[in-house]
Amino acid sequence: AQKVTQAQTEISVVEKEDVTLDCVYETRDTTYYLFWYKQPPSGELVFLIRRNSFDEQNEISGRYSWNFQKSTSSFNFTITASQVVDSAVYFCALSEEDGGSQGNLIFGKGTKLSVKP
Amino acid sequence: GAVVSQHPSRVICKSGTSVKIECRSLDFQATTMFWYRQFPKQSLMLMATSNEGSKATYEQGVEKDKFLINHASLTLSTLTVTSAHPEDSSFYICSASIAGGMDEQFFGPGTRLTVL
């Protein structure tokens, strides 16, 4: 079973629209970390956020916001007023404390976001 | 801070040859380095985890004799793809962690390998 599910394979929006990327995770650990990364066409992964399992506070960073809900095992990512430069593949990832090799990042399949002008 | 470099960024080689990819942490010492592979339009899959001075731990299904990993210093890890075949063509990405375990990983820019 997938441990990190990003159900949206591709999303296309028009500039200035808000868009939410979904991430659902599965773990039996009580201590874990969740991440979001951006991968632009150049290929380099850009770190966006890291959240530990004990911190359910939502986070806002500029146009980006994250909604972490343990009750639904979700860690969704919203981009407000999207811009063309936001076009990229976005990965959600999970790091478990006891998942075999500690610290391994388990990536979702990614969501390709296209923002059109 | 926390910059990780990879060299080369792109490599094209003939089938049967070996290719070495370097991963360097430029401004920090990395206790642990990770190697990932990403096929086109797919996610990153962990290949192996290496700690400085010890043998790498490979994920299930990854051939350790084909993908040789050396982590000789706290700032350098190398991945050698031996006797490369076209199916090894992929995007290889390394990451480095200062403290290992669940500490944050810093990713390199990736190396695109094409085997003809």
Side-chain angles (χ1 to χ4, degrees):
Chain A
Q2 276 184 291
K3 290 209 167 187
V4 180
T5 302
Q6 293 180 254
Q8 305 147 307
T9 305
E10 293 193 40
I11 300 176
S12 182
V13 299
V14 176
E15 213 171 14
K16 297 186 182 177
E17 283 186 23
D18 298 347
V19 58
T20 295
L21 309 181
D22 297 333
C23 174
V24 174
Y25 64 92
E26 179 187 328
T27 181
R28 293 181 181 177
D29 288 1
T30 55
T31 302
Y32 54 89
Y33 286 88
L34 295 164
F35 301 78
W36 275 96
Y37 289 90
K38 173 183 179 180
Q39 188 177 41
S42 62
E44 184 166 359
L45 279 177
V46 178
F47 169 82
L48 296 178
I49 191 170
R50 177 191 190 212
R51 170 70 75 219
N52 77 53
S53 51
F54 298 106
D55 183 1
E56 278 194 81
Q57 278 195 338
N58 292 330
E59 173 130 354
I60 298 175
S61 176
R63 296 184 296 108
Y64 296 168
S65 62
W66 290 269
N67 185 342
F68 177 26
Q69 293 203 350
K70 289 177 79 170
S71 60
T72 55
S73 297
S74 65
F75 187 43
N76 296 338
F77 172 34
T78 297
I79 302 175
T80 304
S82 59
Q83 299 176 2
V84 173
V85 293
D86 295 328
S87 297
V89 179
Y90 290 85
F91 290 98
C92 180
L94 165 71
S95 178
E96 299 171 298
E97 184 177 49
D98 295 318
S101 302
Q102 187 186 70
N104 289 357
L105 280 173
I106 303 165
F107 285 85
K109 292 189 175 182
T111 297
K112 182 179 181 180
L113 174 65
S114 299
V115 182
K116 302 188 186 309
Chain B
V3 178
V4 177
S5 71
Q6 278 184 244
H7 178 80
S9 57
R10 285 180 181 272
V11 58
I12 300 173
C13 69
K14 292 182 179 179
S15 187
T17 60
S18 294
V19 174
K20 181 186 283 188
I21 302 170
E22 292 186 350
C23 175
R24 292 181 186 273
S25 55
L26 298 184
D27 50 2
F28 66 98
Q29 293 187 326
T31 301
T32 305
M33 288 186 168
F34 302 84
W35 286 95
Y36 295 84
R37 178 168 56 186
Q38 184 181 28
F39 291 109
K41 298 187 179 181
Q42 294 192 26
S43 188
L44 283 77
M45 299 299 295
L46 180 67
M47 298 175 66
T49 304
S50 73
N51 291 297
E52 185 266 338
S54 61
K55 289 184 178 180
T57 301
Y58 290 80
E59 294 300 297
Q60 194 172 11
V62 178
E63 299 175 59
K64 62 180 181 181
D65 294 330
K66 181 170 184 60
F67 298 99
L68 302 178
I69 292 173
N70 185 288
H71 191 163
S73 76
L74 284 171
T75 59
L76 173 64
S77 176
T78 59
L79 167 67
T80 301
V81 183
T82 62
S83 187
H85 288 114
E87 56 265 31
D88 298 325
S89 298
S90 187
F91 192 53
Y92 291 87
I93 306 174
C94 75
S95 70
S97 168
I98 295 173
M102 295 178 72
D103 196 31
E104 183 176 348
Q105 295 178 31
F106 303 97
F107 283 84
T111 297
R112 191 163 301 282
L113 169 64
T114 302
V115 184
L116 302 176

